[in-house]
């Protein structure tokens, strides 16, 4: 899903930049003799790397930032070095964001709130009509100006910047997303169908991790903590 | 402008394929383990070639058709052969269009009506939710189902296919388009400013071709014919 | 050796498709205006990835299937996304194989029988004159219609499909294969030469694993099991 | 057809290099840690350029020679400089041919005998088991050791070099070749069908050039000269 | 020679940027997480295009300017769009030059003085330690601050910018240059040797154009004009 | 720093090959119709891989050697196979080095003396005017003929080969190197500033490893051994 969100982000970002949406009216790849758009991607994980592939493929001038040099080097290697990789720190983030036509927020930390890398004051200094797509909105968003939107009203303008903060972005390409989801879940479904419940969970730890409640007991530690209720390990439940 | 329209066509085509616009909900580049969209481009001129570059850059599976093998070979050469080139004839057009997720109509014949390569019956047999972007709409469109739209209501659905037939497409990226336009017109402007009118036209035939009327006389043959009025050659007018 | 077999598979597959061998008479990369061949690769391990590089390099339209999304993503990344990656499941295998001009079977599971991914009924529905190269033939083959062949009579036709199932494929390029083999074995040879036997084995566990019998005792567990004879661990033998 | 022959030449050349055909047993693209084959292409016309694309795509080390620097530069440009371009002169041809694993003769001069660029003495000094594919065999071949072969016995060995000199090479991929041929001839066929003979020839000079004899008169100047018979211009014949 | 100068310009420019030469101490391709240098190339002719290939190949961020959109498009096409193409006008030249780490002057107009595109005031506003390589120095140079240097003292610093203005740059790679030169001149040499003088000139107009004086007469119109002496056409001289 | 040294090595190697430095006068990428230089890279670690990217990007013909096939395969994959990978053994090293125009020594073994892969006799048999850049000079160099140089006199000629053995190469591009260094050290600096000393070391083991002496005690085992003095583990010191 991260990969799909990453690829989508450039596509919707390009759309945000169109004039009728309040954008700068700039084409990602420019034209012969006309400067392309500058795309800045925060985060070089699966999402950011996918966004980077699409943006360079469309001819934009891309810079990608991350705190992990190994991730930056991999993106650099597979794309033939045709983008700028930058260490993510306050100075670089600020310099790049303020200069961008399109910013992609793909700072996803599994199971945690996204860090607020982009302050309102940075957004204020962005170009008028620039666009910002926040993939990390499902985890709270990575800009102070981010707030969740939906497919019916996907964008809003704040500080003269077009914000696209649709939660569950992959839902706008359900065909592709369903196949991607099924690719990962089909094996689990087949195990449940073949072995029955709870035997299937007893044999596959990854599957067992997905159980939230069973027989009135909370079997997922995170859920138990969130609601401040007692937690029963999955193993105890499925053995009995 | 052709180049800009070509690049834009893929971007808006990708947007048409999103579910909320009535599209199939398929991502152009697919995902790891999920099939990309099939993009079919009719015409390998400047417009079609530009569309082909963007579509392959986004990871789609692209086929491009033209009657001119030299144009097909050039597109093949610069893109490393990573697309299918096909001779444009009725059989190939039909086979490809019916199988496509996104069709780009970039059949532009200078100063002529675009040929109606896509019949209504072909559109009927396209996949439900497929998209069609008609760049040649300014010349009448290349499908029987094409009719002009504008930036406020850019799309309509006919035969279950999302049609994007905005006239003057480059206007949605005015920033890029203005630079592109200025690139070609600036030299003319400077000549007019430096030499004055009509001296500038006397020295530059290309500039003189742009004069439509002068001193109550129609100096552009095409315009004169269209309105069935007498035509006065530019040379006569600017000499006097 | 997997890498060599993978690269070779496309070369011999292209040859199988030539008309004089019973193939469809289709050129892998097509031509300007003529559709390229569709190559379907089952398995994205070292063998399948190598086959994918060669096939895309020759201009074919390639799809590659695997159950491991990480392997698919790597192939996608290094080849710039210029192929289709698909999750390997019954539906996808069937759809792709039936539509292919050339199928490469590169499903190699170390030390195990290759799974019969391609049923006879699938082969029956393949195009007449399509070709199938089974790299996994050394492990039993991955199609119901596979049976071992050799360099003198490398191909046979069954269900109208040209089968190439030569065991030990790398032997047809002995020059390249010998260097590849020597690359991996030279260090072992030097150790044996420098330290003598069995001292060399005592110092290098990887080398010791290669010993099958010594002093009348079977020191390789697999061999012992296969012949139902007693097994003596290497360590015991080389210490004495 | 030149393009098809060019692409095919690498495929059959790779096959010639296989050990069972008398070749050196070397894989075009080598392997990780093992040197690739050196492919030398004489002539950078449509045929040679196509061969160059396929050979670099398969991972070979390629050098291509021509007397025309513009053609060399174009091949260099579209392939990203990943090959060696060399001026074709006696010294370079000799140095390269003698060092090659596979030589492609693609020196095609329209309507003329191919020049004998490769002398027997050069062939003698080539590596044992090297291969030579002569695309120009239909025009007499470009090596002193070339003599026409056919699809039943495509190769022969002379001076320890495997020679592949099949005339009409595209016939081994009739599927691809037929489409390519039809692409160029279909429009002529349609004109004949729609306008009838000889009216169609009167309106299309390119078509008229194809007429050899009519009403007992020889209308093709070349044919007339070859048989030393009187020539009647097409225009006279089709007017009457 | 233009091509060689173009390729060399990036290599010597990279050297100029090294700290010990007075440069900014910046690596053309940057590093993982560190910004690459910005290279600005004035002119997209053979020289500029060659410079652009090398600079993008080394991982720099490149923009290339020309007044000819067709040349810009070709560079864009063969390099996959991985650079910025810009119309050459005063505004763009100024904006780019001032922002550059390395500027390449490759504005070569055959037989004419190079235009002074870069004023001293622009050079003053360039970054301290930036570098400028003037390929057009043989035609007077394209900057107000350019003055010819030689291989012994190739650089000088003016307005805090490292200037490299070596005349006859290809002489620093005589091995490559000699082959390139011989490639073009060998055929003329062979004609002179085979046919003798002046017969060879009578048969080859291109060769005849190279004759400057003969029998006390000036046969080259340009030379005659430059010295204000009478001119005798080559044809008259070699006939007699 | 390895990455920077690797990229620099090609740039300075290209400069060494210029005639005025005693080099062969050959351009790395050759020219249309003129052979490129052959670059041989010993070691495919981070340094060697970076050198390989730059050298292929400049159009040289590159071969890279390593004992680790996985590293060779990665370089092959990300560069699209456009170079030769070779197992590093005595035969291959000798064959390649003797045939090279430019040799890069990037055999870096962390914390150990570089192996002397290149003997004086090999250097003797290299082409006159070839160049050798020894990145491993900080660890003693990988050639018998290597001896440290500095930025004021970076090169010397021995056995007719230009040697570039500057220690601490990244210092010639201090701008890029400082950013790269700061990228890795900034987080440590911030910890020291925020938590104070020695608390910061107590919380971050990686930081603690950097402490050499404290309160008169040697806390770095390596340093203690080198000077044959007693060693006090960091943990003891920072706890007290």
């Amino acid at each position: 899903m991260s990969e799909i969100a990453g690829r989508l982000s450039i596509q919707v970002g390009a759309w945000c930049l169109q004039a009728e949406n309040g954008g700068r009216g700039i084409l990602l790849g420019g034209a012969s003799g006309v400067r392309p758009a500058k795309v800045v991607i925060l985060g070089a994980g699966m999402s950011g790397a996918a966004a980077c592939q699409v943006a360079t493929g469309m001819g934009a001038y891309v810079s990608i930032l991350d705190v992990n040099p190994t991730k930056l080097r991999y993106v650099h290697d597979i794309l033939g070095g045709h983008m700028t990789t930058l260490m993510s720190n306050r100075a670089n983030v600020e310099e790049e964001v303020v200069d961008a036509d399109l910013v992609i927020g793909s700072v996803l930390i599994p199971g945690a709130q996204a860090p607020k890398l982009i302050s309102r004051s940075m957004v204020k200094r962005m170009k008028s009509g620039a666009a910002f797509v926040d993939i990390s909105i499902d985890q709270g968003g990575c800009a102070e100006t981010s707030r969740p939107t939906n497919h019916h009203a996907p964008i809003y303008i704040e500080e003269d910047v077009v914000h696209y903060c649709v939660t569950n972005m992959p839902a706008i390409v359900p065909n592709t997303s369903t196949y991607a989801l099924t690719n990962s879940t089909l094996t689990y479904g087949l195990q449940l169908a073949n072995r029955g419940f709870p035997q299937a969970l007893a044999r596959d730890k990854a599957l067992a991790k997905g159980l939230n409640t069973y027989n009135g007991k909370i079997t997922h530690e995170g859920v138990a903590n969130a609601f401040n209720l007692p937690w029963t390990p999955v193993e105890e439940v499925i053995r009995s």
Side-chain angles (χ1 to χ4, degrees), chain A:
Chain A
M1 284 299 132
S2 302
E3 194 188 343
I4 291 178
R7 295 191 179 186
L8 261 178
S9 66
I10 299 303
Q11 177 171 318
V12 299
W15 176 77
C16 290
L17 285 170
Q18 294 177 198
E20 78 271 25
N21 299 313
R24 299 193 68 216
I26 188 171
L27 186 60
L28 273 201
S32 297
V34 184
R35 209 178 287 282
K38 173 165 183 175
V39 177
V40 172
I41 300 171
L42 302 178
M46 201 177 292
S47 227
C52 197
Q53 289 175 322
V54 175
T56 54
M58 291 179 81
Y61 168 46
V62 184
S63 68
I64 183 164
L65 297 89
D66 203 291
V67 293
N68 184 334
T70 304
K71 286 185 181 174
L72 291 176
R73 194 170 299 120
Y74 182 71
V75 173
H76 174 278
D77 284 353
I78 61 169
L79 291 176
H82 297 304
M83 94 290 307
T84 295
T85 60
L86 286 172
M87 183 56 47
S88 180
N89 55 44
R90 214 179 303 171
N92 278 340
V93 168
E94 186 152 353
E95 187 177 349
E96 292 300 301
V97 164
V98 166
D99 193 42
D101 293 299
L102 171 61
V103 174
I104 305 296
S106 54
V107 200
L108 300 163
I109 302 174
Q113 191 85 355
K116 294 284 179 200
L117 291 184
I118 305 175
S119 65
R120 178 171 294 270
S121 86
M122 278 190 214
V123 177
K124 264 185 188 152
R125 276 176 299 135
M126 285 175 72
K127 298 178 193 164
S128 172
F132 169 55
V133 177
D134 198 342
I135 304 183
S136 60
I137 191 67
D138 290 316
Q139 302 182 328
C142 66
E144 275 181 20
T145 51
S146 302
R147 56 173 194 265
T149 60
N150 57 50
H151 299 309
H152 300 294
I155 57 176
Y156 60 93
I157 293 178
E158 197 154 323
E159 309 293 358
D160 243 13
V161 168
V162 185
H163 287 62
Y164 184 102
C165 303
V166 169
T167 51
N168 190 17
M169 272 179 66
I172 66 178
V173 285
N175 190 313
T176 302
S177 299
T178 304
Y179 278 108
L181 203 62
T182 314
N183 281 348
S184 341
T185 55
L186 186 61
T187 41
Y188 297 128
L190 289 174
Q191 287 181 43
L192 285 170
N194 291 336
R195 301 212 176 98
F197 180 84
Q199 289 80 352
L201 279 70
R203 291 186 54 156
D204 186 330
K205 285 190 179 177
L207 182 56
K209 272 189 188 163
L211 191 69
N212 281 8
T213 69
Y214 184 54
N215 263 347
K217 287 169 181 164
I218 297 182
T219 53
H220 190 287
E221 196 170 6
V223 173
N225 290 345
F227 290 97
N228 212 3
L229 287 171
W231 166 57
T232 315
V234 175
E235 290 74 21
E236 288 183 23
V237 165
I238 58 183
R239 236 179 295 136
S240 55

